[in-house]
Amino acid sequence: MTASPMTASAVTPPAVTATATAVSDSTRLRASADFVRRHDTATLLPLLLPGLDGPQLHSLTGHLAFTHAALLVFPPDPATLRADLAACGLAADTPPLPSSVVRDRLALRHRRDAAGLDVSILRPEVRSADGTRRAVEVFALTVPPGSDLWPVAEHERAHQHEAHLAFEVLRPEPLLLRGLCALLAEQGAVPDGGGYNPHENGTVLYFTAPAASLAGYRRVELYAPGDHRDVLAGHLADGPAGYRADRPLGHLADGPADRPGTRPSVGPPVDHQPAETLLRLLTGAWATQALAACARLRLPDAIPPGAPIDRAALARRTGTHPRALATLLRYLAMLGVVTAEGERVRLTEVGALLREDAPASMRPLALMYGGPFYRSFGALDHTVRTGETAFDHLFGENHFDHFARDPELADLFDRSMAASTRMFDPVPAHPALAAAAARPDGGTVVDVAGGNGELLARVLAAHPGLRGVLLERPHAVEAARRTMAEAGCADRCTYRVGDFADVPAEGDVYLLSRVLHDWDDDRCRAILRHCERAMPAHADLLVVERLLPADGSASLATAWDVHMMCNVGGRERRADHYADLLAAAGLDLLAHTPLPLDAALLYARRPARP
């Protein structure tokens, strides 16, 4: 469970000093800013709605965008608020605006005159690890020491009524909004107000978060651009009974609209029956093969970008059976890969990632997960029973050797690894690389087992003063040469063919990207020792891996842990586990920062000597 960033502090007695109050608000501000930096829509929704099944989650992620986290603070004066914002890395000069909504809610809740509650709202920007711009929405009510507003502040700090997570509804339509409300009701969320703002031409729907939520915030805001007061009226008046709580998310965009006067009263939202829940989980393999078939048939490549195509025309383009294709497209629509518009289909942003010409195309990943790795997952029980890697059991050799002997499979594997390279986007900005680039003679970056060179190419492209050395097997070196040439960095990179025992010396920064999770602990310690022996005293080590959450919260790393066990014989690890492995090799783990796609960048170097 994710630690709540908004844990209620103890009620502050009136005699407490303004400084103690400021610390409390500053801590909550910092926690909210860190929460926004860490999470995006895909990581947050499973925490907020842990009851969602896979297809629902995929579809919902395509309909919503996480925009901000909000909290209410009570600074003793505006200067203290500005100082708190600055201390949390938030813009202190954000212009405040009056917040009549929160003011009126406070007045109603505490039976106060709204005219005496001067609530302002600020929205300082926060950049996430992948560069996405979000915000912390700060509601502020100034409460000087000794003010008669202290009871209000005490109650609100304890209960956090105004703390919420906000999502913008992408391409809002009335039917979609009703479907979203139905889904939230089904998961246990309760309508909690809302309104239409004519100045922004936007509609806001508030909910109390489901009791099972792991996100740590008690309220949720849906913001829909445009005037949707018809949906708002049902939200405010009918509550959960005003929506079809039995409508699956896959029908949000293309199902028939409810006819006026025929909406059923469904009563309190209830969980899926256990048998239905299990059936939804069991169809996960079907989703994998549907996506793989979509990629193999090149359906995304045959659909014009940004435009619909008639299903019959798509069948002719792809040489597929019209009725069978229609069945597959209906399922792909439920998964959020396409949208249906009568007899025409349109590719979604998710589906566009399966185009071969898409930047960082995920088509090779679909082919790999629906191909060799799919077969080995069929023997997962063998791995759990014996500890033997299922891939080795089925194919008679480990997947590295198996792929190396098959040029087509080796190329597919390299391209499938490249499909996740968006996790590398923030890496070139790491201070260790910037420091190496600033060396008078130019620094050297050594990429150990650097694959096709995608990460090293990004680093060299971002720092023209750096040189690169890539260590890999022969077939991968050839792919890396092509990557470097395409990035315009070929003249600043040299290549070493070898194994981990051949780590080159005299580098300034060493990279290990998605390497350690391939191996058991003994092999990891050996790899890290090879790196440590090659590293000069001043050198840094950057490691890209997925980290298992220490609190058991939802994470891609948990799924990848099973994948590594079944297909490679490796494992994902927690940060403290990596710290122990590094320490055994004579290195200190100094920090780890989040990367896109639930990855992390670990920063290590030798301990400082007295």
Side-chain angles (χ1 to χ4, degrees):
M1 178 173 173
T2 299
S4 169
M6 305 297 294
T7 301
S9 60
V11 175
T12 308
V16 77
T17 65
T19 301
T21 301
V23 169
S24 173
D25 284 344
S26 180
T27 299
R28 291 164 50 233
L29 278 167
R30 190 185 308 278
S32 294
D34 290 344
F35 186 91
V36 174
R37 291 187 184 101
R38 281 200 319 270
H39 289 290
D40 58 18
T41 310
T43 63
L44 185 51
L45 284 175
L47 300 177
L48 182 64
L49 304 171
L52 286 181
D53 58 37
Q56 288 177 316
L57 185 60
H58 279 296
S59 185
L60 190 59
T61 302
H63 289 304
L64 299 177
F66 174 43
T67 58
H68 68 261
L71 74 163
L72 173 61
V73 297
F74 304 91
D77 52 64
T80 300
L81 177 58
R82 289 194 296 271
D84 286 347
L85 291 171
C88 300
L90 301 172
D93 58 350
T94 302
L97 298 170
S99 176
S100 58
V101 173
V102 172
R103 179 201 64 193
D104 293 345
R105 285 170 61 89
L106 286 174
L108 181 63
R109 201 154 47 233
H110 297 277
R111 299 181 181 179
R112 295 270 184 156
D113 181 1
L117 301 174
D118 185 13
V119 181
S120 61
I121 179 172
L122 305 88
R123 293 189 179 94
E125 182 180 287
V126 172
R127 289 289 187 100
S128 64
D130 63 359
T132 302
R133 296 182 178 182
R134 298 190 181 91
V136 175
E137 189 170 73
V138 182
F139 302 109
L141 174 62
T142 300
V143 180
S147 167
D148 67 347
L149 293 175
W150 269 106
V152 175
E154 290 175 358
H155 176 89
E156 294 297 325
R157 283 200 186 97
H159 296 282
Q160 296 298 317
H161 293 294
E162 300 305 327
H164 66 260
L165 300 172
F167 297 84
E168 180 172 345
V169 181
L170 307 176
R171 299 178 297 276
E173 299 172 356
L175 180 59
L176 172 63
L177 289 177
R178 289 191 175 93
L180 289 171
C181 292
L183 178 65
L184 288 170
E186 178 184 319
Q187 296 299 314
V190 179
D192 187 27
Y196 169 68
N197 186 339
H199 304 291
E200 292 183 356
N201 188 28
T203 305
V204 175
L205 308 173
Y206 286 111
F207 298 83
T208 299
S213 172
L214 306 176
Y217 286 76
R218 63 181 298 152
R219 297 177 69 232
V220 182
E221 170 191 313
L222 294 187
Y223 175 77
D227 185 348
H228 302 284
R229 278 176 280 190
D230 53 343
V231 178
L232 178 65
H235 174 78
L236 297 176
D238 297 335
Y243 302 103
R244 289 280 304 280
D246 59 338
R247 172 174 294 180
L249 181 61
H251 297 289
L252 287 180
D254 57 0
D258 292 330
R259 293 188 300 276
T262 64
R263 293 182 298 181
S265 177
V266 298
V270 296
D271 295 334
H272 288 304
Q273 293 298 317
E276 181 183 347
T277 298
L278 183 58
L279 279 176
R280 291 175 183 272
L281 294 173
L282 288 171
T283 62
W286 304 352
T288 301
Q289 282 302 325
L291 294 169
C294 177
R296 284 191 290 264
L297 294 168
R298 296 184 178 276
L299 300 182
D301 298 285
I303 299 175
I309 184 174
D310 185 79
R311 288 189 309 198
L314 182 60
R316 290 192 295 271
R317 283 191 183 186
T318 56
T320 52
H321 186 279
R323 185 172 60 79
L325 176 62
T327 301
L328 175 60
L329 289 172
R330 189 179 304 116
Y331 187 40
L332 292 174
M334 191 181 82
L335 297 177
V337 177
V338 299
T339 59
E341 304 171 3
E343 292 297 313
R344 298 165 72 79
V345 293
R346 183 190 299 266
L347 205 59
T348 67
E349 292 182 1
V350 173
L353 292 172
L354 293 174
R355 291 180 61 90
E356 190 166 34
D357 60 358
S361 169
M362 300 185 80
R363 180 175 185 270
L365 209 57
L367 297 176
M368 184 64 71
Y369 287 174
F373 288 154
Y374 187 87
R375 289 182 58 192
S376 55
F377 254 109
L380 176 60
D381 58 331
H382 174 83
T383 294
V384 175
R385 188 167 48 248
T386 67
E388 180 185 350
T389 304
F391 193 103
D392 299 11
H393 172 67
L394 286 176
F395 294 96
E397 57 186 340
N398 70 66
H399 96 279
F400 294 109
D401 292 336
H402 185 74
F403 291 167
R405 292 192 303 99
D406 185 329
E408 289 188 6
L409 268 181
D411 177 63
L412 177 61
F413 179 72
D414 287 341
R415 288 187 291 118
S416 69
M417 291 291 286
S420 298
T421 53
R422 53 179 53 84
M423 71 172 58
F424 297 155
D425 289 348
V427 174
H430 193 276
L433 293 166
R439 294 177 66 85
D441 56 347
T444 299
V445 180
V446 178
D447 196 352
V448 180
N452 70 346
E454 178 68 29
L455 175 55
L456 185 56
R458 289 178 181 232
V459 170
L460 297 184
H463 300 285
L466 288 176
R467 298 180 302 276
V469 180
L470 186 136
L471 173 69
E472 253 296 0
R473 293 185 174 191
H475 79 276
V477 164
E478 293 308 310
R481 290 183 189 276
R482 294 192 295 270
T483 300
M484 291 296 171
E486 292 170 0
C489 304
D491 59 339
R492 289 189 286 128
C493 187
T494 58
Y495 307 90
R496 302 283 181 88
V497 174
D499 207 336
F500 293 115
D502 305 308
V503 176
E506 304 308 319
D508 298 294
V509 179
Y510 286 73
L511 303 177
L512 272 175
S513 174
R514 297 180 294 177
V515 172
L516 298 179
H517 73 163
D518 289 333
W519 308 99
D520 61 24
D521 284 359
D522 288 341
R523 185 62 167 150
C524 283
R525 281 187 282 265
I527 293 169
L528 290 169
R529 289 190 187 105
H530 287 309
C531 293
E532 189 274 339
R533 281 193 289 267
M535 293 167 60
H538 71 277
D540 297 302
L541 174 66
L542 298 179
V543 178
V544 177
E545 293 290 356
R546 286 190 170 95
L547 297 180
L548 288 172
D551 58 4
S553 57
S555 169
L556 285 175
T558 305
W560 253 258
D561 197 24
V562 179
H563 168 70
M564 301 309 295
M565 175 182 71
C566 182
N567 287 289
V568 182
R571 60 186 299 184
E572 306 294 351
R573 298 170 172 89
R574 297 190 338 184
D576 57 354
H577 194 157
Y578 278 116
D580 291 342
L581 295 176
L582 288 160
L587 298 166
D588 278 352
L589 177 60
L590 302 181
H592 57 88
T593 55
L595 296 174
L597 302 182
D598 240 1
L601 182 62
L602 290 79
Y603 172 43
R605 64 183 310 163
R606 286 195 181 89
R609 303 299 183 191

